[in-house]
Amino acid sequence: MALEIPSKPRGLLYLGFMVPRYLYRWHLGWLFGHRMLMITHIGRKSGLRRQNVLEVVRYDPLTRECIVMAGYGVKSDWYRNIQARPAVEVQVGRQCYVPQQRMLSCEETLRLLEEYRRQHPRLLRGLMRVIGYTYDGTSEGLRALSQSLRGVAFRPQ
């Protein structure tokens, strides 16, 4: 059973999410290393170029694959946009490339969340609380999260 997806961020949380985007636009994305990336995608309704900065949950230096999560699941505009039309560009630090993208299954997302919980247990709980999920830290709670969140893998073509 999936958790209820919280409403999109507003107010200070929204402004906080905007800061990394401006750092990337000011050519300071290298400050994040491989922890964050910026995707450029096309709006499914507007047809305009859009950009979002996302936390990288897993980075593979060999393939340069980055896996990110849509924290607001299917409510995330960027996620819905790349379902309609693949991302145009990914920037990780100083590297830019046209990506291949792959949507993760719920089982892949669960395994990824389990790995993330092992590495960053307090960070995962804190992030989920900030976003608005009622995640309790249990395996059942993690399974419910994996039904709500959406994972996407990007790698250079």
Side-chain angles (χ1 to χ4, degrees):
M1 182 172 120
L3 295 173
E4 182 179 335
I5 298 172
S7 59
K8 294 178 188 176
R10 285 179 258 160
L12 289 176
L13 183 58
Y14 177 78
L15 291 174
F17 285 167
M18 294 295 290
V19 170
R21 186 182 313 174
Y22 285 105
L23 290 174
Y24 260 101
R25 287 180 180 172
W26 296 332
H27 306 287
L28 296 172
W30 57 268
L31 291 170
F32 299 117
H34 295 104
R35 293 290 300 150
M36 300 189 104
L37 62 74
M38 183 168 71
I39 64 167
T40 302
H41 51 96
I42 305 299
R44 66 194 177 285
K45 294 178 184 176
S46 68
L48 299 174
R49 290 174 66 91
R50 304 287 186 200
Q51 294 178 315
N52 289 82
V53 176
L54 307 165
E55 180 191 10
V56 175
V57 179
R58 182 193 295 153
Y59 175 73
D60 182 342
L62 191 60
T63 63
R64 296 186 355 202
E65 180 177 73
C66 296
I67 299 178
V68 298
M69 295 289 218
Y72 293 95
V74 295
K75 287 185 178 179
S76 299
D77 285 324
W78 71 265
Y79 182 80
R80 292 168 39 187
N81 288 343
I82 67 167
Q83 280 186 304
R85 193 177 296 146
V88 175
E89 181 179 84
V90 167
Q91 184 177 349
V92 184
R94 290 187 171 117
Q95 301 173 346
C96 265
Y97 58 84
V98 176
Q100 290 180 345
Q101 72 182 37
R102 177 176 62 86
M103 307 307 204
L104 274 56
S105 69
C106 291
E107 284 306 313
E108 287 177 291
T109 301
L110 176 59
R111 286 193 301 275
L112 194 63
L113 287 170
E114 288 169 341
E115 179 183 314
Y116 195 87
R117 180 176 65 177
R118 278 192 302 278
Q119 294 174 354
H120 312 285
R122 291 185 5 205
L123 181 58
L124 178 62
R125 288 184 82 163
L127 282 172
M128 293 303 104
R129 186 175 26 249
V130 166
I131 291 173
Y133 285 100
T134 55
Y135 170 60
D136 60 5
T138 65
S139 293
E140 295 78 26
L142 205 60
R143 182 168 289 285
L145 269 178
S146 74
Q147 302 295 314
S148 297
L149 301 176
R150 296 291 184 261
V152 183
F154 296 106
R155 69 168 48 181
Q157 289 188 354

